Amino acid sequence: MKKNTLLYLLLFQLLISQAFGQVADSYYLPQNITYDAKIPTPQKFLGYQVGEQHVTPYETITYMKELARLSNRFKIETYAKTFENRELVLVTVTSPENHARLDQIKAEHQKLVNPTQSSSLDLQKMPIVVWMGYSVHGNEASGTNSNLMSAYYLAAAQGAGVDSLLNETVILIDPVINADGGNRFATWVNINRSTNLVSDINSREFSETWPGGRSNHYWFDLNRDWLYQQMPESKGRLVKFYDWRPNILTDHHEMGSASTFFFQPGIPARTHPLTPKKNIDLTIKFGKYQAVGLDKIGSAYYTQENYDDFYYGKGSTLPDVNGSVGILFEQASSRGHLQETANGILSFPFTVRNQVTATFSTLRAAREMRIELLDHMRSFYKETSTDAVKGYVFGGGNDAIKTWEMINMLKRNQIDVYRLGKDENQDGIAFSKENAYVVPMNQPQHRLIKSMFEKRTKFEDSLFYDISAWSLQYCMNVPTSEAKTAVSLGEKVDKNEFPKGKVIGKSQYAYLFEWNSYYAPRAAYELLKKGYNLKVATEPLSAVIDGKERTFDYGTIQIFSNGSDPSALLQTLAERDGVDFYAVPTGLTPQGIDFGSEKFKKVRLPKVLMLGGTGVQSTDAGEIWHLLDQRINIPLTVADIETANRTSLEKYTHIVLAGGNYNALSDEKIKRFVQSGGVLVAMTDAVEWVSAKKIASISVKEKPDNNGNGEKRPYNLQEKYTGALETAGTIFEAKIDPTHPLCFGYQQSKLALFKDNNIFMEDTKNPYNTPMVFTANPLLAGYVHTKNEKLIKNSPAAITLNVGSGRVIALSENPNFRAFWYGTNKLFLNTLFFGNIIGGGRFGGEEE
């Protein structure tokens, strides 16, 4: 009997392999169509059929280039390169006649967003622009693999139908949005693929190694980067997006293997209020085309569940606030080539076919809804702002770099920024025309502007697929005011010049520089690396600079010249990092501490180890890696937990624990590291591990439940009540102590912090080791459940403790969120540069 059972299993596996391993082109493509013989099919070009194995980004782009070489319907251009130097391309597909006047078509299309020019347009004569983006998450591979078949069809199909489509449509194909992640995933599943396909979910094929292929090189989720555009992939893509202003943008994803196929709209109550109702109506109408296409091939699907259209930083939502219609597709993932699921055997070719079908349905809808979609964009931009806010004034502060990058973010989204015409006082903030700017609301992008600056705290729904707040002024920590009346405008900012620093004076004794500039840590690391002795002022002082006395605050850095002349190096750093260096001829100061004071503490070169691997939140870890590697030029060692457990940690000054589960980490080894003088930095969930393992005397509050104190509720409301307790992404206010080393560089008493967790720390009995504490009324923007708001009020956001000879620094929040939260990056960097001088425990002595 056992032999027969084994035989049946082997035969079954063989049948599965034959049935799902390779399919004909007709499985994907429309029937009864003639194809141009000179255009190679993907199978002929690659040497294997689409769906037989996973195509790599290089193969995809090379095939697109071949189509562009052979077909006068195709044009290909590079829009960016990834961190791993992979090419990202945009393929423009339209009729040869349209290609001949492509610049004219683009110029006419741009007039749709200009209300002073759009009325004169004859929509009947305009082609619609459709953007089709595939696999922004690299391990959601059916999207990228599917566009090989749809591209072949667009290049090779003959007949009146395809001719009419190409005459009336400009199709923009972004075939591989995430080339680095896509390459990781394709490599993984291909090297673990068996000739006789294995569908057992326990197969190694379905278990990528950490961090997996979803993210880019630095483990960023590129589908959360569309608005503020911190990654090169996003910056390049959005240049093309705004060049073309597509009427439709489709975003092809995958979801859990046990699901089917999703197309928008999502849950109606979770659409952002700034998205017009017309957009929702068009999305619903568009969905009917998808239903017809999927019905035809017998695929299951659903809509208006699970997903939402709230956060404008995603690929399917940013178009909605730009007069376009963004459409999300989610296909159940085979996560390999063949997988057993709750719905039966799911094959990779089947997932690809659904994505191909969605592409063809999109093009059918675009052609038939062309006039309606063109008119929607024109009408969208004709509507003027009726908001009480007439503009946003921002700038000043103590860091010109963050203001500079804030302008970059606005301009990358085609938002006009002006210099302030004259000095103004807004909401008690004095803005100078020398360093302040204005974003007026009377411009076409007024909805997008509102979404970037608003401080919304009221919502129709309490569940969010992503974050609920992203107020730019809080992200950047730049003084900002809502102007309720017209503000004087200076010249428009066309070229946003980097605010270079300068060297003031020359000295063979010493120089000072302030810790205010965003890139001051980069300058400090460069000087330390080159052997200069740096000390940080833990008290204010003054010095005579160019004959005038000038005050320097907490965190000022002292550079001893040691008899040499560092002025040439300092000039280079000043221009590169936007830091001013001040020559000081003597160590005797007019006021405050002298240069030889013990209150100038030595800054040591940080040698940082960050733990990664299974359990660690790869996005949180990637944000740290990116910050140090790309912005501050600090080499970071990333080691898996199991490596750290068996490796000597003595050579590191700091160990960083990003958010995650560290149950596999040796707590005894970490205790020894800290006791012997190391600095441990723990963030978000890692704080719970530090508390549970008693690495330091930190207590975490018990998370609330939403069980209703025994009240009976309908079963179908379980998700609603449970999900309402999640703090998915909210902005809170904290009081900070600028005299504490953790807060050096901040000249303010309050700071906005981003929270995407339910970690709440208990207060300590020590009045000096909680340099950041949430205020009594902390909510600034976003959603929070009343139970969580009660827990966060007056609770510590940071705790610093002495443990033996070392330090433990606990941060309940992630100060590096998605690389656009510039305003709190310095908190994390201060743990690296000043962590060893922070006192804690019993008023600066040993831990209690």
Side-chain angles (χ1 to χ4, degrees):
M1 183 64 183
K2 289 182 179 179
K3 290 182 178 180
N4 289 338
T5 301
L6 180 60
L7 179 61
Y8 291 147
L9 287 173
L10 290 171
L11 288 172
F12 178 66
Q13 188 65 56
L14 180 61
L15 288 171
I16 287 175
S17 301
Q18 290 175 342
F20 296 113
Q22 183 173 324
V23 296
D25 290 341
S26 59
Y27 182 71
Y28 301 115
L29 297 175
Q31 302 300 298
N32 303 317
I33 295 285
T34 302
Y35 292 93
D36 186 344
K38 79 172 187 292
I39 305 296
T41 65
Q43 183 175 16
K44 184 176 180 180
F45 182 81
L46 298 170
Y48 60 89
Q49 178 62 293
V50 169
E52 186 179 353
Q53 67 181 57
H54 283 62
V55 69
T56 66
Y58 177 79
E59 289 173 317
T60 300
I61 291 172
T62 304
Y63 181 62
M64 294 296 169
K65 288 181 177 180
E66 180 69 357
L67 295 182
R69 185 180 72 85
L70 296 172
S71 173
N72 57 4
R73 300 172 178 177
F74 273 57
K75 174 190 170 185
I76 191 167
E77 56 187 321
T78 300
Y79 68 74
K81 287 215 171 169
T82 71
F83 285 111
E84 295 175 18
N85 209 35
R86 290 188 173 88
E87 193 177 9
L88 299 175
V89 302
L90 187 67
V91 182
T92 304
V93 185
T94 190
S95 68
E97 294 76 17
N98 284 343
H99 270 298
R101 59 185 190 97
L102 207 57
D103 290 342
Q104 177 190 342
I105 291 173
K106 186 185 292 186
E108 288 287 295
H109 202 77
Q110 282 287 347
K111 291 180 182 178
L112 285 172
V113 305
N114 187 334
T116 65
Q117 298 179 321
S118 60
S119 296
S120 63
L121 294 172
D122 184 353
L123 303 186
Q124 295 290 340
K125 297 180 180 179
M126 293 181 65
I128 190 171
V129 179
V130 181
W131 183 295
M132 315 190 86
Y134 298 90
S135 302
V136 67
H137 297 141
N139 60 1
E140 299 176 4
S142 60
T144 287
N145 283 263
S146 75
N147 71 57
L148 296 171
M149 297 307 304
S150 52
Y152 168 73
Y153 171 85
L154 292 171
Q158 303 296 299
V162 72
D163 289 343
S164 178
L165 170 68
L166 295 176
N167 282 330
E168 298 177 25
T169 313
V170 175
I171 304 163
L172 306 171
I173 302 174
D174 192 355
V176 187
I177 299 177
N178 180 3
D180 291 348
N183 192 72
R184 279 202 305 275
F185 180 69
T187 300
W188 176 264
V189 292
N190 285 339
I191 64 174
N192 287 288
R193 175 187 182 275
S194 298
T195 301
N196 297 291
L197 298 183
V198 176
S199 61
D200 185 346
I201 59 173
N202 296 313
S203 171
R204 192 165 184 263
E205 182 179 353
F206 308 122
S207 301
E208 294 174 82
T209 55
W210 190 93
R214 177 183 175 89
S215 52
N216 78 343
H217 175 78
Y218 285 102
W219 313 331
F220 275 73
D221 185 334
L222 293 177
N223 197 40
R224 306 299 189 268
D225 193 43
W226 283 71
L227 180 59
Y228 290 145
Q229 302 156 43
Q230 296 302 299
M231 298 292 106
E233 298 96 328
S234 306
K235 289 178 182 177
R237 184 184 339 110
L238 268 295
V239 168
K240 294 301 178 184
F241 174 87
Y242 283 117
D243 272 354
W244 271 108
R245 302 279 189 162
N247 302 102
I248 298 173
L249 184 146
T250 59
D251 193 16
H252 293 250
H253 287 252
E254 288 183 351
M255 55 183 165
S257 301
S259 195
T260 57
F261 191 91
F262 168 85
F263 54 84
Q264 285 182 314
I267 297 173
R270 300 183 201 168
T271 299
H272 197 289
L274 290 173
T275 299
K277 184 178 181 300
K278 179 64 174 177
N279 176 283
I280 301 169
D281 294 340
L282 289 168
T283 304
I284 293 171
K285 185 174 180 178
F286 187 91
K288 292 178 180 178
Y289 287 86
Q290 300 301 327
V292 169
L294 292 167
D295 284 343
K296 190 176 294 185
I297 63 171
S299 285
Y301 55 85
Y302 67 97
T303 185
Q304 300 194 35
E305 295 180 40
N306 296 358
Y307 300 94
D308 67 29
D309 280 313
F310 190 83
Y311 173 45
Y312 285 134
K314 296 188 298 181
S316 59
T317 46
L318 183 65
D320 296 342
V321 77
N322 276 284
S324 180
V325 178
I327 302 292
L328 171 68
F329 297 127
E330 293 275 356
Q331 164 62 48
S333 178
S334 63
R335 276 298 186 271
H337 296 87
L338 195 70
Q339 186 176 154
E340 298 168 6
T341 76
N343 294 319
I345 298 293
L346 180 62
S347 75
F348 187 42
F350 177 82
T351 69
V352 171
R353 183 174 66 158
N354 279 350
Q355 299 277 23
V356 173
T357 300
T359 294
F360 289 148
S361 298
T362 296
L363 295 177
R364 188 177 302 111
R367 181 183 170 195
E368 295 180 11
M369 295 171 63
R370 179 174 63 89
I371 302 301
E372 192 174 7
L373 288 161
L374 290 167
D375 184 63
H376 168 64
M377 179 170 282
R378 178 165 64 180
S379 300
F380 179 93
Y381 282 105
K382 276 190 172 183
E383 291 184 18
T384 57
S385 172
T386 57
D387 200 280
V389 176
K390 305 304 177 186
Y392 296 90
V393 185
F394 67 93
N398 65 343
D399 183 3
I401 302 295
K402 294 202 296 290
T403 300
W404 170 77
E405 178 55 24
M406 187 168 172
I407 295 170
N408 288 338
M409 290 182 180
L410 292 163
K411 288 179 64 63
R412 283 197 290 264
N413 284 288
Q414 304 299 295
I415 293 170
D416 292 335
V417 181
Y418 295 82
R419 291 188 173 277
L420 187 62
K422 62 183 180 66
D423 295 351
E424 300 244 7
N425 193 297
Q426 295 279 341
D427 295 333
I429 305 173
F431 291 100
S432 168
K433 67 177 183 178
E434 299 302 319
N435 56 17
Y437 300 85
V438 183
V439 178
M441 284 288 283
N442 62 337
Q443 56 177 301
Q445 293 289 71
H446 61 87
R447 277 193 184 86
L448 184 56
I449 295 167
K450 180 72 174 178
S451 78
M452 294 170 77
F453 284 97
E454 70 174 356
K455 297 173 281 187
R456 186 181 299 271
T457 57
K458 303 295 182 184
F459 304 90
E460 184 178 347
D461 203 318
S462 57
L463 275 68
F464 297 86
Y465 190 75
D466 202 73
I467 62 177
S468 64
W470 53 92
S471 311
L472 182 58
Q473 65 272 38
Y474 294 140
C475 298
M476 304 305 293
N477 187 34
V478 170
T480 302
S481 175
E482 298 176 348
K484 301 298 174 62
T485 57
V487 179
S488 59
L489 300 182
E491 64 181 12
K492 185 177 176 181
V493 179
D494 290 320
K495 191 173 183 181
N496 187 29
E497 298 283 358
F498 180 80
K500 295 179 180 179
K502 53 189 178 296
V503 180
I504 298 96
K506 198 170 185 178
S507 172
Q508 289 192 333
Y509 181 73
Y511 287 81
L512 295 174
F513 69 94
E514 295 169 302
W515 201 245
N516 302 338
S517 169
Y518 182 82
Y519 289 117
R522 185 164 69 186
Y525 188 83
E526 185 83 4
L527 290 162
L528 288 168
K529 189 173 65 172
K530 291 185 180 299
Y532 286 90
N533 292 318
L534 304 188
K535 292 186 176 183
V536 59
T538 61
E539 295 284 347
L541 68 148
S542 68
V544 176
I545 308 297
D546 270 359
K548 295 181 180 179
E549 186 176 344
R550 189 184 191 284
T551 301
F552 293 88
D553 212 339
Y554 299 92
T556 297
I557 303 295
Q558 170 199 118
I559 313 166
F560 263 109
S561 301
N562 297 327
S564 63
D565 180 9
S567 59
L569 172 61
L570 297 184
Q571 185 62 41
T572 298
L573 297 180
E575 294 181 5
R576 186 193 72 177
D577 298 333
V579 175
D580 291 336
F581 294 92
Y582 300 88
V584 182
T586 175
L588 188 64
T589 64
Q591 296 184 60
I593 58 176
D594 293 321
F595 273 43
S597 168
E598 290 183 355
K599 293 183 178 179
F600 265 109
K601 302 292 185 182
K602 182 176 176 60
V603 180
R604 60 181 179 178
L605 185 74
K607 297 179 181 177
V608 187
L609 170 68
M610 180 177 70
L611 299 189
T614 303
V616 179
Q617 291 286 344
S618 60
T619 50
D620 290 20
E623 288 154 6
I624 295 167
W625 182 22
H626 174 267
L627 173 66
L628 297 185
D629 196 36
Q630 286 293 315
R631 294 184 183 168
I632 311 301
N633 294 347
I634 294 179
L636 173 69
T637 300
V638 182
D640 286 349
I641 291 172
E642 54 266 32
T643 301
N645 284 341
R646 62 175 184 268
T647 301
S648 172
L649 305 177
E650 294 177 358
K651 64 180 178 180
Y652 303 108
T653 60
H654 295 70
I655 292 178
V656 175
L657 305 182
N661 181 333
Y662 291 90
N663 288 337
L665 178 62
S666 168
D667 54 295
E668 292 301 321
K669 195 155 193 176
I670 297 301
K671 286 176 183 175
R672 288 195 297 271
F673 168 79
V674 176
Q675 291 278 351
S676 62
V679 177
L680 177 68
V681 183
M683 294 178 285
T684 66
D685 323 61
V687 173
E688 291 187 304
W689 181 84
V690 168
S691 174
K693 298 298 182 181
K694 302 188 185 308
I695 307 294
S697 296
I698 296 170
S699 297
V700 177
K701 297 179 181 181
E702 185 178 349
K703 293 181 176 69
D705 63 47
N706 209 0
N707 293 330
N709 298 319
E711 171 195 354
K712 300 302 180 183
R713 296 168 175 161
Y715 178 79
N716 68 333
L717 295 181
Q718 182 176 357
E719 181 184 13
K720 174 183 176 181
Y721 280 101
T722 304
L725 280 173
E726 294 297 321
T727 307
T730 307
I731 304 171
F732 294 98
E733 181 182 65
K735 295 178 291 185
I736 68 171
D737 177 6
T739 74
H740 193 284
L742 186 68
C743 302
F744 282 173
Y746 292 96
Q747 295 176 350
Q748 60 199 77
S749 60
K750 294 179 180 178
L751 181 65
L753 302 179
F754 183 86
K755 188 173 188 66
D756 63 347
N757 62 67
N758 280 356
I759 306 297
F760 310 101
M761 295 191 292
E762 296 280 6
D763 195 10
T764 68
K765 296 178 182 179
N766 186 321
Y768 307 112
N769 64 10
T770 53
M772 294 196 302
V773 178
F774 289 106
T775 61
N777 296 293
L779 181 62
L780 292 175
Y783 167 80
V784 63
H785 193 281
T786 53
K787 291 184 178 181
N788 289 330
E789 188 171 20
K790 184 178 179 180
L791 289 173
I792 199 173
K793 288 181 177 182
N794 300 312
S795 68
I799 295 175
T800 63
L801 291 171
N802 281 17
V803 178
S805 300
R807 308 288 186 271
V808 173
I809 303 171
L811 303 176
S812 62
E813 316 315 326
N814 174 8
N816 309 309
F817 184 71
R818 290 183 182 169
F820 66 68
W821 207 270
Y822 280 74
T824 51
N825 283 156
K826 187 158 289 178
L827 296 172
F828 173 71
L829 294 170
N830 285 353
T831 70
L832 305 186
F833 284 92
F834 310 134
N836 63 306
I837 70 168
I838 293 175
R842 190 182 296 273
F843 312 111
E846 292 300 310
E847 183 189 358
E848 293 181 304

